[in-house]
Amino acid sequence: MDLHPITVNEIMFTVTLISTLFIIAFLIPKTKRKTGLYTASVITALVLLFFIIRPFWIDYHVSVKKDQLTLYLEKQFPNEKWQITQNIGRQYNPYIFLVEFHNEKGWKYHYFVKNADHIKQHGLSMPDGSKKIEGKHKRNDW
């Protein structure tokens, strides 16, 4: 299993933090040790819960934002057809979508979706060998 460097850094930081908490809990006087261990255990459980819930949270928000982008595109480009994709990987922002219009193959327009009221065309990717600088669907809001 290959882990992305961001994931490795998160795991290393989390293990270091939790280990430090437990070491401190064992080093404090016996009268407060039980409270220290309890606190370290609760923090450990919260961190684990965060890492379990986060992917589902992101997936939910991505689906909502994709629907918002679809409504936006239907309003901006009526009678057009498109395909919405995303870059895959931890290093990419999950709220930036790539839109390829059927009448402009190879051109991918990057849209950042903050919410339904804040959708901006963030850039574009041209097909290899393209001599044009601007595509048919380029917006002037970036």
Side-chain angles (χ1 to χ4, degrees):
M1 175 168 93
D2 290 334
L3 294 177
H4 192 277
I6 294 172
T7 305
V8 172
N9 287 339
E10 287 176 343
I11 291 170
M12 288 174 37
F13 176 77
T14 303
V15 167
T16 302
L17 174 71
I18 291 172
S19 299
T20 303
L21 289 174
F22 276 100
I23 290 169
I24 291 170
F26 279 111
L27 294 177
I28 59 178
K30 280 189 176 184
T31 57
K32 307 231 183 202
R33 188 171 298 159
K34 188 174 181 180
T35 304
L37 289 172
Y38 176 76
T39 303
S41 297
V42 167
I43 291 172
T44 300
L46 290 174
V47 167
L48 289 174
L49 193 62
F50 168 77
F51 283 116
I52 291 169
I53 291 173
R54 183 174 64 170
F56 298 106
W57 180 265
I58 291 172
D59 287 345
Y60 168 74
H61 283 280
V62 164
S63 69
V64 168
K65 290 175 188 298
K66 190 173 182 180
D67 292 340
Q68 292 170 341
L69 177 59
T70 300
L71 292 173
Y72 172 84
L73 291 172
E74 287 172 352
K75 190 187 300 183
Q76 294 294 320
F77 304 105
N79 304 320
E80 296 258 359
K81 295 197 183 294
W82 55 80
Q83 181 179 357
I84 299 173
T85 58
Q86 289 179 278
N87 286 320
I88 305 299
R90 289 286 311 272
Q91 69 271 29
Y92 298 110
N93 185 336
Y95 307 128
I96 292 181
F97 298 91
L98 307 176
V99 178
E100 182 175 1
F101 291 89
H102 288 249
N103 64 350
E104 197 174 19
K105 294 288 184 192
W107 289 78
K108 293 188 180 180
Y109 296 88
H110 305 210
Y111 282 88
F112 171 73
V113 181
K114 183 174 182 180
N115 55 46
D117 298 324
H118 186 229
I119 298 174
K120 298 279 186 192
Q121 194 177 86
H122 198 59
L124 63 96
S125 303
M126 298 179 285
D128 290 338
S130 176
K131 294 184 171 121
K132 291 189 334 182
I133 296 175
E134 293 187 3
K136 297 177 192 174
H137 299 90
K138 182 181 178 296
R139 308 274 303 165
N140 291 323
D141 55 4
W142 54 281

